[in-house]
Each structure stands twice: as structure tokens, then as C-alpha cells.
Amino acid sequence: MSSAKEIRSQIKSIRKTKTITRAMEMVAASKMRKAQQRMLTSRPYSRKVREVIGHLAKAHSEYRDLYLELREEKRIGYIVVTSDRGLCGGLNANLIRRVQTHMNEKKQNHAVLDLCLVGHKAIGAFRQSGANIIATAEHMGDAPSVNQIIGIVKIMLDRFREREIDSIYVAYNDFINTMSQTPQIERLLPLVPVDEDKLNFYWDYIYEPDPKEVLDALTSRYIESQVYQAVIENIACEQAARMVAMKNATDNANNLIDELQLVYNKARQASITQELSEIVGGADAVS
Amino acid sequence: METSKQTIGVNIVSAEAEIYSGEAHAIFVSGAEGELGIKPQHTPLLTALNPGLVRVQYQDHEEVFYISGGLLEIQPYVVTVLADTAIRAADLDESAAQEAQRQAEEALQKHKIDKEYYLVAADLAKAVAQLRAIKRIRKQ
């Protein structure tokens, strides 16, 4: 049995760890609330853009083919959104694993992959893999703005418009609630048409100034808003996952402290008993 | 939306917030090709918007919003204004794209490390490992 002093120093060090994990838990909780708020305020826009895009898919424009036509996937663009920091459970690892299985499937069909990475963890994970990384963004903070996303989206979109890449996917963590986040991979381009019966007749928009310009602007906005939404959602996921991970760590530390305290008390008592019996034994010997 | 042909649904949203949502008798915006006045049953139209005012008229009163550009979609029963929060210009977008590309190259070349954070993370990882070890010892 280890000495009382050793156990005491162990307890002390666990306490210190506990204060860190508890502080991180509380910080994550408050950041998560803010991130959720941001997620809700940006939702109307992404929903409306998707609606307009859905209408557009029903319109009979000559130019829309570029965005709707399903081509053979010879070259694929991935936008992978992860967090910058770790200590948030298996959040990033799960996402990256999902993405890699997805990529491997595509690779078997001899597709070449281009990656756009958002977040430090994605960069770390894919740098070694020898994949073709064409753009990255990291350290965007807790409240990223659309400005910070325009760049990476433009790189992808330009390549798509030049027909260099045939489709674009975005991968991120979907915020379901505080306890569960699921990795999600969605196709952004070619557009996924929405089923709506209302507009099933032959019609087209009037475009001002001209179809190409308006459609390009609209798809840029669409992709940006979807990626922005993904980034925002991923931040909420990160904070929720960190909160849960840190809560577990704090609980574990508490359990350990309780156990060790018991061991310590026993050791202390044992040594007192021993000393007592030694004194009594000594007194007996003297008398 | 069939309830009345007298009004048209209006949604004004920007990427970071919802600005207005409701019914209107008419709305006025400044499109890329000139001013637009939109009444219910307007023909479908898709246009870029110039920076300027969006006026929403409902009965007697009028609400006015300023937007710094964006897109407008008109369906006979609903008008959607997608306002830009970011200031857009072809050259600005281009420089943002270059910045992202440059970052990618930089990230590939060298380990950029947020030093302080990783020190704390390393400490914590160590502590967690210690906890685990202690736990295992306790179990035996």
C-alpha cells in the first residue's frame, strides 16, 4: 500500500485537472448557446436560397444545365469542415473517417479528388494522406462571417464552372441536439432538385441583366450559404461535444478523488493504529 | 397563399439574420436594370439588386430597409430578397480566393502551431493518462 503522502499528492493533482476540465465544460456550454443562436438566425437565408434554387430547377432556362446536369464523376471536390481544436470527443475523428470511406468509394471508380479544408484538424488529417488540397481556411473564430468563406467557395465553384470538377460535396457535423451530432456528407453541385408540384408547367424567369450573370450570382450565394451553415453548425457541434467530453472528465475525476480519499483515510487510520499498538507494546515492555 | 390576390408574400433575409417576413400590397426595390415596383401576380423574375432601399407597402403604412446588394426572386405569390451582408465585388472575391489558396500552401509547408493551446492540451492529455493509469492500478 502506497504511503499516505503519495496518495495525498495524487489527490491534489487530480483536483487540479478537475478544475481545468470543469472550467472548459462551462466555457463550452456558454459558447454552445451562442453558436446555437447563430445557427438559428442564419437558417432562414439558407432555407430561402434553397427554395429559390428549387424553383430555378423547375424553370426552363437554357443556361441552368451546367448546374443540374449529372456528369460522370471523374474529378470530385470535397469541402470538409472540422473544428480547429481537439478535446471534443470523437467529433472530428468520426467525420474524417466518414469522409475517407466516402472518398475511397469514389476512388474505386477512378475519381480524382480535390479538397477544400476548413479547420485545423482537417488540415492535419489530410496533409499526410497525399490528397490534392486546393484551399484551406482555419482559425475562423467562434463567429465566422460569410466573408471568410467566399474565398474557398470561389475556388471550388470556378473549377466547377470550367468543368474541371464534376461535383462538389460538403462534409460537416450535423447538430441534432447537445448529446448527438452526426457526420453528414451532402452533394452541393450538381444541384439536387426539390420536388414541388406547384411549378410543374413550362415557364421561365425573366432575367435581369442576363441569365448567366444572375444564375452565377445565385449559385455562388447558394453554395456560400450552405457552406456557411455547415461551418456554423459544426461550431455548435464542437462546443456541445467538448461540453460532454469535459463533463465526463470532471465526473471521472470526482469518482477517482472519492476512491482515493477512502484509500487515504484507511492508510492514515492504519498508521495511527500501528503507532498506537507500538506505544502500547512499548509501555508493556517497560513496566 | 391562395387566400387573397391582393397581397403578396415578402421575405427579406440576409445570410446572418432574417430581416422581414410578411404580406404586402406592393414592394419597391432598385434592381440591376432599374427601379422595380412589384404587385401581386407579378411574372417570375430573377434579378441582381443594386445597393439601395427596399420599400414594403402594406395597406397605408410602409416599411423601409436598406440593403447593400443581393438578389431578388419573384414568383406570382411570393417575393424573396436575398440581401448580401458581405460587400461583393469580383476583385474582392478574387483576393479572398487567393488568400485561401495561399493558406493551403502554407499549411502544407509548415506546421503552424497555436503554441499556448497545445501546451495546455498536452498537459491535460498527460493528466488524463495519469488518471487512467491510477484507475487501472486501483482496480487491481
Side-chain angles (χ1 to χ4, degrees), chain A residues 125-136:
Chain A
F126 289 105
R127 187 176 32 210
Q128 278 95 4
S129 72
N132 182 23
I133 301 172
I134 54 173
T136 64

Side-chain angles (χ1 to χ4, degrees), chain A residues 150-152 154-155 158, chain B residues 87-102:
Chain A
I150 291 175
I152 55 167
K154 187 176 163 57
I155 290 178
D158 282 353
Chain B
I87 297 161
R88 308 298 298 253
D91 48 339
L92 274 179
D93 286 13
E94 191 59 52
S95 72
Q98 278 164 1
E99 171 65 21
Q101 208 154 13
R102 192 190 58 73

Side-chain angles (χ1 to χ4, degrees), chain A residues 55 127 147 205-206 221 224, chain B residues 44 46 73 84 86 88 107 111:
Chain A
H55 293 164
R127 187 176 32 210
N147 282 338
Y205 286 110
I206 300 170
R221 281 352 173 249
E224 276 158 23
Chain B
L46 207 54
E73 189 223 14
D84 284 342
R88 308 298 298 253
H111 258 322

Side-chain angles (χ1 to χ4, degrees), chain A residues 18 21 25 246-257:
Chain A
K18 197 182 88 174
T21 56
E25 179 196 335
M246 288 302 118
K247 186 167 172 22
N248 286 340
T250 311
D251 291 349
N252 284 346
N254 270 334
N255 290 342
L256 270 176
I257 289 173

Side-chain angles (χ1 to χ4, degrees), chain A residues 29-47:
Chain A
S30 99
K31 281 189 178 171
M32 184 190 73
R33 265 194 300 278
K34 280 184 208 151
Q36 263 177 298
Q37 194 55 45
R38 230 169 276 125
M39 206 170 83
L40 293 181
T41 52
S42 66
R43 238 176 219 166
Y45 187 86
S46 75
R47 205 174 45 225

Side-chain angles (χ1 to χ4, degrees), chain A:
Chain A
M1 184 158 288
S2 41
S3 77
K5 198 176 164 223
E6 260 172 48
I7 299 175
R8 207 162 51 203
S9 75
Q10 272 180 358
I11 292 180
K12 218 163 139 190
S13 90
I14 297 174
R15 278 226 173 91
K16 272 187 195 150
T17 314
K18 197 182 88 174
T19 34
I20 298 176
T21 56
R22 200 168 47 200
M24 284 184 81
E25 179 196 335
M26 286 188 291
V27 170
S30 99
K31 281 189 178 171
M32 184 190 73
R33 265 194 300 278
K34 280 184 208 151
Q36 263 177 298
Q37 194 55 45
R38 230 169 276 125
M39 206 170 83
L40 293 181
T41 52
S42 66
R43 238 176 219 166
Y45 187 86
S46 75
R47 205 174 45 225
K48 287 296 165 202
V49 185
R50 204 179 304 150
E51 245 174 65
V52 175
I53 288 281
H55 293 164
L56 187 70
K58 295 273 181 181
H60 291 76
S61 160
E62 292 162 20
Y63 183 66
R64 63 171 197 158
D65 282 352
L66 169 64
Y67 296 111
L68 279 168
E69 181 195 15
L70 283 169
R71 302 193 293 257
E72 193 195 339
E73 291 182 319
K74 283 185 201 133
R75 203 177 179 102
I76 304 174
Y78 280 94
I79 301 176
V80 183
V81 182
T82 64
S83 66
D84 277 330
R85 299 178 159 187
L87 289 176
C88 47
L91 190 78
N92 293 318
N94 288 345
L95 180 75
I96 286 164
R97 204 175 319 121
R98 250 316 288 283
V99 172
Q100 257 153 359
T101 17
H102 197 270
M103 285 176 175
N104 286 341
E105 275 168 34
K106 300 287 178 192
K107 268 187 200 158
Q108 279 174 357
N109 301 331
H110 308 290
V112 183
L113 310 176
D114 284 336
L115 304 184
C116 256
L117 304 175
V118 181
H120 195 85
K121 290 286 160 184
I123 299 169
F126 289 105
R127 187 176 32 210
Q128 278 95 4
S129 72
N132 182 23
I133 301 172
I134 54 173
T136 64
E138 56 178 335
H139 304 304
M140 294 206 287
D142 294 323
S145 71
V146 181
N147 282 338
Q148 291 164 292
I149 289 162
I150 291 175
I152 55 167
V153 171
K154 187 176 163 57
I155 290 178
M156 275 284 169
L157 262 178
D158 282 353
R159 292 185 183 214
F160 184 83
R161 285 183 186 134
E162 306 276 313
R163 292 172 185 269
E164 276 174 36
I165 54 178
D166 304 300
S167 56
I168 300 178
Y169 290 85
V170 62
Y172 63 102
N173 279 294
D174 192 17
F175 186 90
I176 297 167
N177 55 43
T178 319
M179 299 307 289
S180 74
Q181 301 88 32
T182 48
Q184 196 86 34
I185 299 178
E186 277 170 23
R187 195 180 79 200
L188 291 177
L189 284 172
L191 300 172
V192 185
V194 196
D195 270 328
E196 205 179 333
D197 295 335
K198 224 181 291 175
L199 298 168
N200 272 335
F201 49 88
Y202 194 91
W203 64 283
D204 194 8
Y205 286 110
I206 300 170
Y207 299 93
E208 288 179 5
D210 64 280
K212 182 178 181 311
E213 218 163 289
V214 177
L215 289 191
D216 283 350
L218 185 63
T219 37
S220 299
R221 281 352 173 249
Y222 171 68
I223 306 298
E224 276 158 23
S225 87
Q226 299 305 310
V227 175
Y228 178 70
Q229 191 69 26
V231 169
I232 296 277
E233 205 139 320
N234 199 68
I235 289 173
C237 287
E238 177 195 350
Q239 300 301 348
R242 177 165 304 132
M243 191 181 86
V244 172
M246 288 302 118
K247 186 167 172 22
N248 286 340
T250 311
D251 291 349
N252 284 346
N254 270 334
N255 290 342
L256 270 176
I257 289 173
D258 285 351
E259 277 175 36
L260 284 176
Q261 191 72 49
L262 198 70
V263 178
Y264 169 72
N265 287 348
K266 275 185 187 159
R268 194 179 62 108
Q269 230 155 18
S271 77
I272 290 172
T273 317
Q274 201 188 351
E275 275 171 33
L276 267 179
S277 67
E278 273 166 14
I279 290 169
V280 173
D284 277 352
V286 171
S287 61

